[in-house]
Amino acid sequence: MLLDRQTVDDLRAQADIVRVVSGYVTLRKRGANYLACCPFHSEKTPSFNVHPGKQVFKCFGCGIGGDVFTFVMRMENVGFAEAVRIVAEVCGLPLPEARPAAPPAHGKGAHQEGALPEAEERERLLRLHELALRFFQSQLAAPEHYAAREYLARREVASSTIATLGLGYAPTAGMRC
């Protein structure tokens, strides 16, 4: 499911970034902008600016900036769709309707007849990557690939790191899988 771009753009234009940001930090008006200590890094002198006219924020200390959705994504550690929902809720605006992804029109870049919608194709690719991950991890664990495990041991790579990073082993090209 995708969020309708026009509706999201409308929500971005209607959302009050000052209202959203002030729910997380204390803003002080300074001229046309608002100023605060940055919520993304420690500082004693405020360098975090919110520009209500442009509906953007920028920290001149750490360099982080963006729009209202970017701010919420960083503060709440959520994805774009969830940030849109939160912004709509905080601002009391109607939530954009989610819609299925439509294949592009015929012509350059068009999918063939019967092509999967974008979200389904993404899920299919994620499943494929998961299968590949499991295959390469099983190859690393296979008895015949002890040299790869010895190499990791010589490099002092802990088994917990191997598991966390999802490390595996790619057998040589001529090997039957």
Side-chain angles (χ1 to χ4, degrees):
M1 298 294 275
L2 296 175
L3 293 167
D4 179 75
R5 178 174 284 198
Q6 183 60 49
T7 308
V8 171
D9 289 343
D10 291 346
L11 177 60
R12 181 183 287 113
Q14 294 173 24
D16 181 2
I17 193 168
V18 172
R19 181 176 179 180
V20 173
V21 172
S22 66
Y24 297 90
V25 296
T26 302
L27 294 173
R28 291 188 312 252
K29 189 152 176 60
R30 176 84 41 97
N33 298 334
Y34 289 81
L35 192 65
C37 287
C38 182
F40 305 116
H41 75 280
S42 295
E43 64 180 4
K44 293 181 181 178
T45 305
S47 62
F48 183 82
N49 288 268
V50 177
H51 191 293
K54 294 181 181 177
Q55 290 294 305
V56 295
F57 73 93
K58 173 77 175 176
C59 176
F60 292 98
C62 66
I64 294 174
D67 66 5
V68 67
F69 301 129
T70 307
F71 180 82
V72 171
M73 287 169 64
R74 286 186 157 281
M75 288 302 295
E76 297 288 340
N77 195 25
V78 296
F80 181 76
E82 182 64 11
V84 170
R85 186 195 66 73
I86 292 169
V87 168
E89 186 177 295
V90 168
C91 295
L93 298 169
L95 186 63
E97 293 294 320
R99 63 171 173 77
H106 292 290
K108 186 176 180 181
H111 289 293
Q112 294 177 356
E113 192 70 7
L116 293 173
E118 188 176 311
E120 289 179 30
E121 184 173 351
R122 182 178 187 280
E123 286 301 316
R124 194 177 117 255
L125 289 171
L126 287 172
R127 284 192 307 272
L128 181 63
H129 283 129
E130 180 65 31
L131 288 172
L133 172 72
R134 283 193 225 138
F135 169 76
F136 292 117
Q137 286 176 328
S138 72
Q139 292 300 305
L140 181 62
E144 64 269 23
H145 300 132
Y146 66 90
R149 291 187 302 281
E150 285 181 354
Y151 171 78
L152 291 172
R154 280 194 313 273
R155 298 290 306 263
E156 298 180 359
V157 179
S159 58
S160 61
T161 302
I162 292 170
T164 300
L165 298 178
L167 298 183
Y169 176 75
T172 57
M175 183 167 199
R176 200 165 66 111
C177 300

